[in-house]
């Protein structure tokens, strides 16, 4: 249940005196999230009250709220109990930011792949060391589900779930955040000619990976994941060259 802004939160807002008032509002809200004054689920004061507390126009407040919503800091809900709420962290926002960088040409496909190889190698090693039998059982079940799926979209969802469970097995939520973001971005580059050929090697590779994890053979697990990602990278390069 969403929590209304308390007196501590209301006292945290300071009057703004700047030409770009909405940016200062955004900075204050971000700082209050960072220091714990605002938490996920907290409801911000009404637009009119924010304008009074910040001593700025309601138009500037609206602009700030739109900016914060686009950044994934808040969500706006309609209705009697609606308003602006602090948003829980979601990897979709990280993925969108990375995707924008790719589309704007600021990050290359090679850079993304290199980052994924490095991060995934660490994820697999930590999962091998820290993962539980129950998590490895989940991975095996996802592999079996992938095997029986024939729809490309369904297989994609299996892949997302597989990488997410693998990342969760590290016990580090930051890895889960980045793995999810990178997977969603790179998936757009995977589909194309020879996709079915690529999928033919997937199931055996997944089985070998899960077996290595169960045996706590970290080197073998990392090698298997790296070989799989190398095949994907080659496939994406070939598609990009077409």
């Amino acid at each position: 249940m969403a929590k209304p802004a308390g007196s501590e939160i209301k006292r945290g807002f300071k009057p703004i005196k700047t030409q770009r008032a909405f940016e200062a509002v955004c900075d204050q809200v971000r700082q209050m999230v960072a220091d714990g004054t605002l938490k996920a689920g907290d409801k911000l004061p009404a637009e009119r009250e924010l304008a009074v507390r910040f001593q700025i126009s309601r138009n500037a407040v609206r602009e700030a709220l739109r900016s914060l919503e686009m950044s994934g800091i808040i969500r706006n809900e309609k209705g009697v109990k609606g308003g602006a709420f602090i948003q829980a962290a979601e990897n979709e926002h990280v993925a969108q930011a990375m995707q924008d960088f790719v589309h704007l040409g600021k990050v290359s496909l090679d850079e993304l792949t290199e980052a994924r190889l490095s991060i995934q190698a660490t994820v697999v090693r930590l999962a091998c060391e820290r993962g539980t039998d129950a998590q490895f059982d989940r991975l095996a079940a996802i592999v079996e589900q992938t095997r029986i799926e024939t729809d490309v979209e369904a297989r994609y969802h299996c892949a997302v779930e597989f990488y997410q469970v693998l990342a969760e097995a590290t016990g580090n939520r930051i890895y889960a955040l980045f793995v999810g973001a990178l997977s969603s971005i790179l998936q757009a580059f995977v589909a194309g000619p020879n996709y079915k050929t690529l999928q033919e090697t997937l199931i055996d590779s997944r089985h070998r990976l899960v077996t290595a994890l169960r045996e706590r053979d970290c080197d073998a697990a990392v090698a298997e994941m790296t070989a799989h990602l190398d095949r994907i990278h080659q496939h994406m390069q070939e598609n990009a060259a077409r």
Side-chain angles (χ1 to χ4, degrees):
M1 182 178 179
K3 300 173 288 181
S7 59
E8 181 183 357
I9 292 174
K10 292 180 180 180
R11 287 197 301 271
F13 297 120
K14 302 174 184 177
I16 301 236
K17 295 179 181 180
T18 175
Q19 287 184 328
R20 297 183 66 82
F22 84 94
E23 292 181 345
V25 172
C26 294
D27 288 343
Q28 282 199 34
V29 171
R30 283 191 171 93
Q31 183 56 48
M32 292 173 74
V33 170
D35 64 25
T37 304
L38 287 171
K39 298 179 176 63
D42 284 343
K43 183 179 180 180
L44 296 182
E47 184 182 290
R48 180 179 299 176
E49 184 177 348
L50 286 173
V52 171
R53 291 185 175 277
F54 286 125
Q55 295 181 16
I56 60 175
S57 70
R58 292 181 67 175
N59 283 338
V61 171
R62 291 191 197 102
E63 191 171 3
L65 293 178
R66 281 196 297 269
S67 178
L68 289 168
E69 184 176 25
M70 289 177 65
S71 300
I73 303 297
I74 67 170
R75 69 180 188 280
N76 283 308
E77 296 183 1
K78 297 180 180 180
V80 177
K81 296 183 179 180
F85 297 85
I86 299 299
Q87 178 74 289
E90 296 179 352
N91 66 16
E92 285 82 0
H93 302 301
V94 178
Q96 187 60 58
M98 289 184 178
Q99 200 163 47
D100 289 342
F101 267 73
V102 174
H103 291 160
L104 291 171
K106 293 183 178 180
V107 176
S108 69
L109 181 58
D110 285 344
E111 287 175 303
L112 274 175
T113 302
E114 182 180 62
R116 189 187 193 193
L117 281 167
S118 178
I119 292 172
Q120 203 65 66
T122 301
V123 165
V124 169
R125 190 170 294 280
L126 289 176
C128 191
E129 295 171 355
R130 303 173 181 174
T132 65
D133 289 340
Q135 287 169 324
F136 298 156
D137 287 343
R138 284 180 65 193
L139 290 173
I142 296 169
V143 174
E144 181 57 25
Q145 183 63 36
T146 305
R147 186 184 66 79
I148 64 177
E149 292 288 359
T150 56
D151 180 69
V152 172
E153 190 66 22
R155 280 205 160 203
Y156 165 64
H157 288 301
C158 285
V160 170
E161 185 180 5
F162 185 89
Y163 284 119
Q164 204 61 34
V165 173
L166 192 62
E168 289 170 4
T170 68
N172 186 321
R173 288 173 292 181
I174 296 297
Y175 284 121
L177 180 68
F178 280 102
V179 165
L182 286 169
S183 294
S184 64
I185 294 170
L186 291 170
Q187 180 60 29
F189 296 96
V190 174
N194 299 323
Y195 175 77
K196 290 185 178 180
T197 302
L198 184 67
Q199 290 291 297
E200 289 172 0
T201 65
L202 176 67
I203 302 303
D204 287 342
S205 176
R206 289 278 197 265
H207 278 307
R208 288 193 295 269
L209 175 59
V210 174
T211 297
L213 292 172
R214 290 187 190 280
E215 295 175 353
R216 306 291 176 176
D217 189 340
C218 298
D219 290 340
V222 170
E224 187 58 50
M225 176 59 77
T226 300
H228 171 66
L229 294 181
D230 280 341
R231 287 191 293 271
I232 290 179
H233 183 48
Q234 182 179 355
H235 170 76
M236 290 190 296
Q237 285 181 314
E238 290 172 354
N239 282 346
R242 287 187 171 89

